[in-house]
Amino acid sequence: MSIIEFHSSKDLELVESLVLDLCDPQEKVNALSELRKKRGMFKDLAPMLWYSFGTMAALLQEVVLVYPTLSSPTLSANASSRVCNALGLLQTVAAHLVTRTPFLAARILLYLYPFLNTTSKAKSYEYLRLASLHVIDALVKVDDTEAVNFLVTSQVIPLCLRIMETDSELPKLVATSIVKRIMLDEFGLQYICATADRFFQAAMALATMVNALAEQPSARLLKHVVRCYLRLTDNPRALAALQICLPNPLKDGAFDNCLQDDPATRCCLQQLLDNLGAPAGGGAPRPGAGGPAAAGGGARHPGPGPAARGSRGGGSSSQAGPSRAPWM
C-alpha cells in the first residue's frame, strides 16, 4: 500500500495541484493558504510535501525571505501570515510518522530559531514565534530521545525560557509545554540539571511565570508550570535547590481558586510540596513525578499546602533565585 492515502481521487487531484502550485510564484500564496486550511483533510499530506520535488525548498524559501525584516519593525501582517502558512505545513511534516525522522535529520528547525529570537511585541512577530513553537512542539509530542537530544544541544531551551518569561499567553503556553516535554525525557532532565547555570535559568523563568500567574491566573498555563517543577524534583540537586527557592504562591494557597476545577494539577502541586518536604540528597526514593504519593513515602511540606489560606509572609521570598549550593 502506498504511504500516501486520500479520501478519494478528487481529493488526491486537489492536493497534487496545490502542492505543485507551491513551486509556482504566481500561485504560491494561494497554495500556502489553502493547504494550511485543508491539511486536516489529508492524512498523508506530509509525505507528499516531503517527497515532492522542490516543495520543501519552496517552503524554506518563504522562511528565509523574511529574515531581513526581523531586526526592524517592518514585517507586515500579510508577510507574517504567508510565513505562518509555510510554518503550518512544516508542522504537518514534523508531526507525521513517516516524515518526522528525515525532517529532524535535515536540521530544518534551525531555520526557525531566528523567529524565536525576536522580541517585538507586534502581532506579526508574535505569530511567527507561535507558529515556530508549534513546529517544535509537534516533534516533542512523541517520546523521542533523538528529537530531545537535538533540541537541547541546538540551544532551543534558552529561547523557550525567554518566551516563557516575556511573551503573551499563547506563546508562553507552547514554550512551557516544550520545556516540560524535554524535562520528561531523562536526557533532557539531566541536561537542564547538569550545571547551576542551566538550572538557574530554568528555575528563574518558572518563578517569573508563577509570580505573574499569581496576579493573572491561567489554569492551563499553571498546569504546565507545576509539572515542570514536579519533574525537576526527580533530580536530587534540583530538589535540594527547590527546597530553598520554590516561589511562595505555590505554597500558600494562592492558586486554590484557579485550580478548583483541575484536580489533576492540584494533585501534582501537592505531590510537589510532598517531595520538597522530604530530605534531599542521597538518592533516597521518592514518589514518582505525576503519580500519587506512596503511603508514608515522604513527609508533607512543613509550610501551608495548596489548600491553606493566610499570609504569604515568611519563608523564602517568591522572588528569590535558586541556590547554587547543590552544584558546588
Side-chain angles (χ1 to χ4, degrees):
M1 180 182 296
S2 170
I3 61 174
I4 301 176
E5 298 178 1
F6 296 94
H7 298 293
S8 67
S9 59
K10 184 177 180 180
D11 291 335
L12 179 57
E13 290 174 3
L14 173 60
V15 75
E16 284 180 338
S17 175
L18 289 172
V19 170
L20 288 174
D21 286 346
L22 290 175
C23 296
D24 184 341
Q26 302 300 319
E27 302 293 337
K28 189 174 187 180
V29 174
N30 179 69
L32 285 168
S33 177
E34 289 301 308
L35 280 172
R36 190 187 186 191
K37 288 188 292 186
K38 299 178 184 298
R39 58 184 173 163
M41 295 170 51
F42 307 121
K43 184 179 69 172
D44 288 315
L45 172 61
M48 177 166 282
L49 290 171
W50 184 260
Y51 293 108
S52 296
F53 180 77
T55 302
M56 294 304 298
L59 294 178
L60 289 177
Q61 184 183 44
E62 292 298 307
V63 170
V64 300
L65 280 175
V66 299
Y67 282 175
T69 68
L70 297 183
S71 59
S72 62
T74 59
L75 180 64
S76 68
N78 286 338
S80 175
S81 177
R82 179 167 170 167
V83 180
C84 286
N85 287 336
L87 292 172
L89 297 181
L90 292 179
Q91 178 186 347
T92 299
V93 176
H96 197 279
L97 181 64
V98 171
T99 54
R100 56 178 283 107
T101 298
F103 178 87
L104 184 65
R107 302 298 192 255
I108 289 175
L109 285 182
L110 296 177
Y111 288 91
L112 312 188
Y113 287 10
F115 299 150
L116 299 181
N117 206 33
T118 60
T119 57
S120 172
K121 301 297 184 182
K123 288 296 182 182
S124 56
Y125 292 91
E126 179 184 316
Y127 292 152
L128 282 184
R129 291 193 293 272
L130 183 59
S132 300
L133 288 167
H134 278 305
V135 179
I136 298 170
D137 193 48
L139 282 172
V140 295
K141 279 183 177 178
V142 179
D143 185 12
D144 186 345
T145 296
E146 182 182 1
V148 171
N149 288 0
F150 173 74
L151 289 173
V152 298
T153 55
S154 62
Q155 296 300 302
V156 79
I157 293 177
L159 296 174
C160 286
L161 293 178
R162 185 183 51 75
I163 290 171
M164 288 162 58
E165 290 186 275
T166 62
D167 225 313
S168 59
E169 182 173 351
L170 282 177
K172 280 184 177 181
L173 187 66
V174 184
T176 311
S177 175
I178 290 169
V179 171
K180 179 194 72 176
R181 293 180 185 278
I182 289 174
M183 286 183 180
L184 289 174
D185 183 90
E186 193 60 35
F187 176 81
L189 180 64
Q190 290 177 2
Y191 183 90
I192 289 172
C193 298
T195 69
D197 284 340
R198 291 176 193 167
F199 171 80
F200 180 83
Q201 290 172 5
M204 287 301 295
L206 291 169
T208 299
M209 294 179 72
V210 168
N211 293 317
L213 287 169
E215 301 299 326
Q216 293 185 312
S218 167
R220 60 179 182 171
L221 188 52
L222 181 60
K223 174 178 68 174
H224 292 301
V225 171
V226 169
R227 282 166 170 75
C228 284
Y229 273 118
L230 182 57
R231 177 57 172 160
L232 285 171
T233 64
D234 282 340
N235 180 275
R237 290 187 293 188
L239 173 66
L242 289 176
Q243 286 176 322
I244 301 170
C245 70
L246 188 73
N248 277 333
L250 290 174
K251 300 182 287 187
D252 64 10
F255 297 116
D256 283 0
N257 290 335
C258 179
L259 297 179
Q260 63 182 349
D261 297 323
D262 189 350
T265 302
R266 289 205 312 270
C267 179
C268 287
L269 178 52
Q270 187 59 61
Q271 183 69 68
L272 168 64
L273 298 179
D274 288 346
N275 287 358
L276 295 178
R286 303 183 311 280
R300 222 164 182 74
H301 194 279
R309 299 294 180 185
S311 169
R312 297 188 191 181
S316 59
S317 167
S318 62
Q319 301 289 344
S323 168
R324 297 177 180 237
W327 281 267
M328 295 177 66

